[in-house]
Structure formats: structure tokens, C-alpha cells
């Protein structure tokens, strides 16, 4: 019997010996990306707080619909300043200090809004906050992409979007919570609340490591290697990432990044993809719902201000919660399936919403129409948030070559903010001109066009290293 056990022992041990040890994912880059991305909470808050604050600002300061339309959307135009400066700033000061700078703007802007005594002062405060928005939109996804190993890059690069939407949700909660204050105080407190976290966030960011790719670009290879050792899943992966980064840095050392736009078709293609993806993300009308949700629901038949602001909070919860789906699936299902499901779902929900307004225009106190309209809007924000909302930033950050990443991300963000500004500064005029149904039919057509673009032009990037993207898009 003993001999039989001895003879069987090797057979029992063999499978265990041959089984490779599972690679444990490194959690440190997750904490770094979370801290960097938390600045995006302030961006979302400052944009969306106007949704409820405009009701009380109009009553307190006598601001007209046209002025509300400009104040709501102009922050996106102002953010172009920060977006276009962010590439230059992040390449010279580093990714960390650029995030700190964004927090400084988020401190000054909301305080200026809270203390404003008239329309001009409100525009100044909106400008300062807008510059911070531009910086945050560019630098948070760039830092997350550069700090993350390939195994979790989709998750980590989605973090800024989840925090932006968390900020949107918090702004809606703020609108509801402070709506009971006297009119002259309510909207001021809503803005001032956004300035509170900035100092703490800036201090926390200074504890993060600098981007290893930025360190390598500056010739600080030993520091880059130390950061890669802390943020990679294995030592072998850290070595490989360093070699790939050095290869790209050395390849780009002989000429300027912008010169390549004139000489390399692959670089032009990547930049065209980034700009088109950001165009479609905003032109399908998401910010019309973010900033004018109460107005849309009021025209659908909801008459109570408290109910409007409460439903707005539910929009925020649905929008922020849906991004968790994108975060969990981006590195499993891939980018393309989520983008296709997202753009298709947006087109359908917008078509339904437009049809409801066309069929029941002018209906008041009709609970069924109001409920159906609310459901269609929720379906739209959910479809947006499970795909093109976060993944436009993920895809843009990972396909840009290192030597063009800061500037390319800045241009992509500029396109995003221009379209957001156009949508939010024209929405009231648009639906007054072509009806609410016509406005949502227009957005549905744009969402359908974005589906075609994703299907025909975007290859899958899941699981590829950032440097491997250069082979895929012929930018090396």
C-alpha cells in the first residue's frame, strides 16, 4: 500500500507544479489615480451647479433667460484656455503640479461666484472656474493613463469620468439641500460649497508620485524606474514598460511633435479620431440634460420646483452609478462593444424622448407623460455613461503617442468643451426655434452618426500597452 501511495504521489503533485502562479494586481496605481481624479469632482460640480442655482439667481438678480443660457454654457468655452494651456503646463511643470494648479482655480472661481453682485462679476467667476475645468479635463485622464499598468488602464482612466459625474450628482444634492434658504443666500451657498475641498485635494496630490513617462521625457530615468516598480504588476512588467517608454522618448527626440502632423499620416489619423470622438461625445446633447434637466421636465409636465430638483438628483445618481458598469467592463468586454451599445442606446432613447414631446406637446399635469419622459431621459444618461461618456477619454488618452499626448489631449478637450459650450449656450434658443421634439430628434441623429463612426473607424485597444498603440495606429 505504501508503494502504491509513493507511485501515485508524483501524479497528484504534477498538475500543481505545472500551474502558473496567478499575477496579483498592484493596487498602488489605483490609489494614485483616484487621488488625481478627485479634482474632477470639482469640475463636475462647477459645471452642473447652475442647473438648480439658475432658478434662484434669476429671482434674486433679475437675470434673463438669454443671460442664464450664456452663464450656463460659457464655462465650457472658458475651459478652452485651461485645456490649451494644460499640455504646455504639464510638459514643463509635471502632471502633479498641473493638478494642483487646477485646484487653485477651483478655489478662486466658486468664491468669486458666491460673492458676485451682478452679471459681470458672475462672468468673471465663471471664467476662473472654466480655466480650472480645462486643466482638470486634460490632466486627470493623462496622469491616470500614464501611471496605470495595461491590465487596469481602462478602469483607472475611467476614474475621472466617474468623479466628474459624482460632482454633478453632488451639485444636484446641493441645489436641493440649499433651496430652502432665502433666495439671496441659496444660490451663493451652492457655489461656495464647491470651494471647500480644494485645499485638501491639492495637499493630497503632492503626496503622489510623478508620472513615469514625464520623468523619462525629462531624462530622470532612475526616478521613472522607481515609480514603475511601484505601479506595475510585476518587476518584469516594470522593466518592459521602461524600455518601451525610453524607446518612444528617444524616437521622438529628433523632431517636434507638431512637425509629425505634416509628415506622418498615422499621427494625423490619431488626432482626427480623438477630435471626432470628443465632438460626438458632446454634440449628442448630454449637457442639455445636465444643465437644463429641470426645464426639460417642467415642459414635460412636472410643476413642483421641489420635485424638479429631486428628480434632478435621480438623474445624477443614474449618471454616476452607470459609469461603474463601464469601469468594470472596459478591461473585460473591450472598448468597442461598450461604445457601440452606448451610442445605439443614446440614439434610441433620444428618439423616444423627441416622440413624447411631439405627441404630447403642451400636456400639463399628465403624470404618465411626465413619467415616460423622465424614464427616457434616465435611459439616455445611462446609455451615455456606460460607454462614450467615460470611454471617449479612455480611448483618446491611450491612442495618443507619448510625445504628443499632452498637446493632443489638450486639443481633444478643446473640441469637447467647444461642443459642450455650443450645446448649452444654444439649447433654450434651439427648442424655442424648432420645438423640444425637434431638438431631441436632432440629438438622436447625431448619436446615430456617432454609432456609425465607432463601428467603422475605431479598432479595439483593450489589453495593449500604450507604446503598442504606436504600432496599431502607425505613429511610431
Amino acid at each position: 500500500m505504501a508503494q502504491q501511495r509513493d507511485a501515485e504521489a508524483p501524479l497528484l503533485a504534477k498538475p500543481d507544479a505545472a500551474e502558473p502562479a496567478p499575477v496579483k494586481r498592484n493596487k498602488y496605481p489605483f490609489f494614485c489615480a483616484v487621488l488625481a481624479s478627485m479634482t474632477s469632482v470639482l469640475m463636475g460640480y462647477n459645471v452642473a451647479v447652475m442647473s438648480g442655482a439658475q432658478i434662484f439667481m434669476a429671482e434674486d438678480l433679475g437675470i434673463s433667460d438669454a443671460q442664464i443660457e450664456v452663464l450656463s454654457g460659457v464655462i465650457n468655452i472658458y475651459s478652452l484656455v485651461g485645456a490649451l494651456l494644460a499640455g504646455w503646463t504639464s510638459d514643463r511643470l509635471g502632471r502633479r503640479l498641473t493638478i494642483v494648479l487646477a485646484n487653485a482655480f477651483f478655489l478662486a472661481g466658486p468664491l468669486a461666484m458666491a460673492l458676485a453682485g451682478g452679471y459681470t462679476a458672475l462672468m468673471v467667476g465663471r471664467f476662473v472656474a472654466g480655466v480650472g475645468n480645462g486643466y482638470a479635463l486634460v490632466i486627470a485622464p493623462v496622469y491616470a493613463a500614464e501611471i496605470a499598468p495595461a491590465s487596469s488602464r481602462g478602469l483607472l482612466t475611467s476614474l475621472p469620468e466617474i468623479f466628474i459625474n459624482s460632482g454633478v450628482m453632488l451639485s444636484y444634492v446641493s441645489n436641493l439641500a440649499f433651496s430652502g434658504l432665502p433666495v439671496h443666500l441659496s444660490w451663493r451657498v451652492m457655489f461656495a460649497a464647491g470651494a471647500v475641498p480644494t485645499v485638501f485635494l491639492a495637499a493630497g496630490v503632492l503626496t503622489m508620485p510623478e508620472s513615469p513617462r514625464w520623468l523619462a521625457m525629462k531624462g530622470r530615468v532612475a526616478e521613472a524606474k522607481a515609480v514603475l516598480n511601484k505601479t506595475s504588476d510585476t518587476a518584469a512588467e516594470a522593466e518592459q514598460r521602461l524600455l518601451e517608454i525610453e524607446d518612444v522618448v528617444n524616437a521622438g527626440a529628433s523632431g517636434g511633435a507638431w512637425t509629425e502632423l505634416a509628415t506622418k499620416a498615422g499621427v494625423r489619423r490619431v488626432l482626427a479620431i480623438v477630435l471626432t470622438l470628443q465632438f460626438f461625445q458632446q454634440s449628442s446633447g448630454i449637457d442639455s440634460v445636465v444643465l437644463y434637466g429641470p426645464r426639460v421636465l417642467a415642459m414635460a409636465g412636472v410643476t413642483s420646483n421641489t420635485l424638479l430638483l429631486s428628480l434632478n438628483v435621480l438623474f445624477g445618481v443614474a449618471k454616476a452609478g452607470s459609469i461603474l458598469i463601464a469601469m468594470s467592463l472596459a478591461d473585460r468586454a473591450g472598448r468597442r462593444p461598450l461604445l457601440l451599445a452606448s451610442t445605439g442606446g443614446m440614439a434610441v432613447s433620444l428618439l423616444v424622448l423627441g416622440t413624447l414631446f411631439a405627441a404630447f406637446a403642451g400636456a400639463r399635469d399628465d403624470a404618465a407623460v411626465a413619467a415616460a419622459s423622465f424614464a427616457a431621459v434616465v435611459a439616455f444618461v445611462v446609455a451615455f455613461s456606460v460607454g462614450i461618456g467615460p470611454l471617449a477619454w479612455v480611448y483618446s488618452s491611450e491612442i495618443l503617442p507619448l510625445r504628443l499626448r499632452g498637446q493632443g489631449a489638450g486639443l481633444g478637450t478643446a473640441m469637447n468643451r467647444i461642443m459642450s459650450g455650443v450645446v448649452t449656450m444654444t439649447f433654450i434658443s434651439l427648442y424655442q426655434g424648432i420645438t423640444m421634439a425637434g431638438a431631441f430628434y436632432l440629438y438622436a441623429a447625431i448619436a446615430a452618426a456617432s454609432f456609425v463612426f465607432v463601428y467603422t473607424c475605431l479598432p479595439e485597444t483593450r489589453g495593449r500597452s500604450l507604446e503598442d498603440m504606436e504600432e496599431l495606429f502607425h505613429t511610431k
Side-chain angles (χ1 to χ4, degrees):
M1 183 68 74
Q3 288 177 344
Q4 185 180 357
R5 283 197 299 266
D6 291 342
E8 289 176 352
L11 296 176
L12 296 173
K14 194 171 182 179
D16 293 335
E19 205 172 284
V23 176
K24 187 177 181 181
R25 288 198 177 184
N26 188 350
K27 294 182 175 61
Y28 182 65
F30 174 79
F31 294 114
C32 294
V34 165
L35 193 54
S37 302
M38 286 184 71
T39 300
S40 302
V41 172
L42 304 175
M43 181 261 167
Y45 187 95
N46 280 283
V47 168
V49 71
M50 275 292 297
S51 178
Q54 61 183 267
I55 299 171
F56 308 100
M57 293 168 69
E59 185 178 346
D60 183 30
L61 300 179
I63 296 174
S64 67
D65 267 0
Q67 290 174 319
I68 288 292
E69 195 174 43
V70 172
L71 273 174
S72 295
V74 77
I75 190 171
N76 299 302
I77 304 300
Y78 289 154
S79 68
L80 292 176
V81 178
L84 294 174
L85 286 175
W88 180 88
T89 306
S90 65
D91 283 348
R92 281 154 184 78
L93 300 182
R95 307 331 191 198
R96 287 191 313 166
L97 289 181
T98 303
I99 297 173
V100 172
L101 184 60
N103 277 277
F105 283 109
F106 284 137
L107 173 65
L111 289 180
M113 292 286 289
L115 298 173
Y119 185 71
T120 301
L122 288 171
M123 287 290 284
V124 171
R126 211 67 173 148
F127 172 78
V128 176
V131 175
N133 279 6
Y135 271 108
L137 278 168
V138 172
I139 197 59
V142 166
Y143 179 87
E146 293 184 345
I147 206 75
S151 63
S152 57
R153 192 176 59 248
L155 167 66
L156 300 191
T157 318
S158 299
L159 287 174
E161 187 69 12
I162 184 67
F163 282 115
I164 287 172
N165 285 277
S166 297
V168 170
M169 181 180 65
L170 288 173
S171 74
Y172 293 160
V173 172
S174 171
N175 290 156
L176 181 61
F178 299 124
S179 62
L181 294 175
V183 171
H184 69 284
L185 280 180
S186 57
W187 64 270
R188 297 180 188 275
V189 176
M190 293 174 192
F191 282 105
V196 174
T198 55
V199 176
F200 303 102
L201 284 178
V205 165
L206 293 175
T207 67
M208 306 183 321
E210 183 53 86
S211 159
R213 289 175 175 82
W214 183 82
L215 291 170
M217 286 171 63
K218 296 301 178 182
R220 295 157 61 176
V221 178
E223 294 176 63
K225 183 177 181 181
V227 174
L228 287 170
N229 286 334
K230 295 173 68 176
T231 59
S232 299
D233 290 333
T234 64
E237 183 189 17
E239 290 289 343
Q240 183 62 28
R241 288 174 71 188
L242 181 61
L243 288 174
E244 291 173 342
I245 291 170
E246 287 185 301
D247 182 49
V248 173
V249 170
N250 293 334
S254 58
W258 295 113
T259 305
E260 296 188 42
L261 285 173
T263 59
K264 287 192 176 180
V267 174
R268 291 196 298 271
R269 178 195 173 200
V270 163
L271 192 57
I273 287 174
V274 169
L275 293 175
T276 307
L277 192 56
Q278 296 292 357
F279 168 85
F280 278 127
Q281 194 216 46
Q282 286 298 324
S283 61
S284 53
I286 187 63
D287 277 355
S288 294
V289 173
V290 169
L291 284 171
Y292 299 106
R295 189 179 290 249
V296 172
L297 290 180
M299 294 190 68
V302 181
T303 55
S304 163
N305 276 348
T306 301
L307 181 57
L308 287 172
L309 294 177
S310 299
L311 292 176
N312 221 28
V313 173
L314 293 180
F315 283 163
V317 172
K319 195 168 185 296
S322 301
I323 296 178
L324 297 174
I325 299 173
M327 291 174 65
S328 64
L329 293 179
D331 289 315
R332 296 189 222 172
R335 283 48 159 168
R336 269 178 62 87
L338 288 176
L339 285 168
L340 290 170
S342 172
T343 51
M346 289 162 58
V348 171
S349 56
L350 287 167
L351 185 62
V352 170
L353 186 59
T355 301
L356 285 169
F357 275 106
F360 302 101
R364 302 293 293 176
D365 297 321
D366 189 325
V369 174
S373 300
F374 174 73
V377 173
V378 170
F380 171 55
V381 299
V382 168
F384 176 88
S385 298
V386 299
I388 198 169
L391 293 183
W393 301 106
V394 172
Y395 204 93
S396 298
S397 295
E398 63 189 5
I399 69 173
L400 285 163
L402 171 64
R403 57 199 176 278
L404 188 59
R405 190 165 297 140
Q407 298 92 332
L411 285 176
T413 302
M415 173 62 79
N416 185 284
R417 293 298 89 194
I418 287 172
M419 292 315 303
S420 178
V422 168
V423 167
T424 51
M425 292 174 70
T426 61
F427 179 68
I428 295 176
S429 302
L430 181 67
Y431 79 70
Q432 288 176 346
I434 65 173
T435 74
M436 191 70 82
F440 286 114
Y441 281 147
L442 175 62
Y443 294 147
I446 294 171
S450 68
F451 177 92
V452 175
F453 168 71
V454 171
Y455 185 80
T456 57
C457 299
L458 301 192
E460 183 57 67
T461 58
R462 177 175 62 95
R464 295 178 179 268
S465 71
L466 292 178
E467 285 65 38
D468 189 33
M469 300 293 182
E470 303 222 9
E471 298 287 349
L472 179 62
F473 290 94
H474 307 292
T475 60
K476 198 165 186 177

